[in-house]
Amino acid sequence: MNTYKLTLLALLASLAVVGRSVFAFLPNIQPVTSLIIICGLLLGPAAAILLALLTTFLSNMVLGMGIWTVWQVVSWALIGIISGCMGRYSQRIPVYIIAIFSVFSGFLYGFIISLTTYSITGAFWPYYLAGLPFDMYHAIGNAVFIILLYPIISHLFAKYANNRFYLQNTS
């Protein structure tokens, strides 16, 4: 991991933490999942996992820590790994496919968080079904953030791809 990639990761983490704090008044609508997907697609799965860790711990320092913090990291890291594998598999994924994946990721995140409550309360289905509207908000919010942010961030990160190619060929 070079300095340029770490700088991009720090920028994404700050954007995610600020975005999560700004949208805290809306239930489950936040740019974090979308930024982790974008990071995985453009920078790889390892960077997405690191972004998941940074964003979760830094934003939860403001919003509140708890046992859910661990499961937030797990779910966002899993989403980052999947998106990182998608990015490695294909360089040109249409935005609508990424938006569909972001909708799926909203429900996956909610499912993982709901599974964690099973170990505490012993009742999965009531908690999961009660949380489905919030998962829907998360999923729709993810799609909107992907549509808004992916073209801008991918355009800005094109410079990273060009610099990486240039540095590899001059070494």
Side-chain angles (χ1 to χ4, degrees):
M1 204 173 268
N2 59 24
T3 307
Y4 196 77
K5 190 172 184 178
L6 285 173
T7 304
L8 294 176
L9 199 54
L11 288 170
L12 283 175
S14 62
L15 183 62
V17 170
V18 169
R20 189 167 182 216
S21 299
V22 167
F23 288 99
F25 69 95
L26 294 172
N28 283 20
I29 297 174
Q30 57 189 343
V32 176
T33 307
S34 299
L35 289 171
I36 290 171
I37 291 169
I38 293 169
C39 179
L41 289 169
L42 300 176
L43 300 178
I49 292 169
L50 192 53
L51 180 62
L53 280 165
L54 284 170
T55 301
T56 306
F57 285 112
L58 293 175
S59 62
N60 281 0
M61 289 175 72
V62 175
L63 299 173
M65 289 278 189
I67 190 66
W68 58 85
T69 302
V70 174
W71 299 108
Q72 287 175 322
V73 170
V74 168
S75 57
W76 276 326
L78 179 63
I79 291 167
I81 290 169
I82 295 169
S83 62
C85 292
M86 285 173 51
R88 295 240 170 125
Y89 176 71
S90 174
Q91 297 298 328
R92 288 283 184 207
I93 302 172
V95 176
Y96 73 90
I97 297 292
I98 300 169
I100 291 169
F101 174 69
S102 71
V103 168
F104 166 77
S105 297
F107 288 107
L108 176 64
Y109 176 87
F111 182 77
I112 293 172
I113 296 299
S114 295
L115 277 177
T116 63
T117 61
Y118 178 73
S119 63
I120 297 168
T121 64
F124 169 75
W125 289 110
Y127 186 84
Y128 178 70
L129 293 175
L132 273 178
F134 296 98
D135 295 343
M136 180 66 78
Y137 300 149
H138 189 182
I140 292 169
N142 287 346
V144 170
F145 283 120
I146 284 290
I147 291 168
L148 293 174
L149 296 175
Y150 182 75
I152 296 167
I153 293 174
S154 64
H155 176 72
L156 295 174
F157 279 27
K159 182 177 180 184
Y160 168 72
N162 291 338
N163 281 347
R164 184 175 62 181
F165 179 74
Y166 175 74
L167 292 173
Q168 286 176 350
N169 289 334
T170 57
S171 301

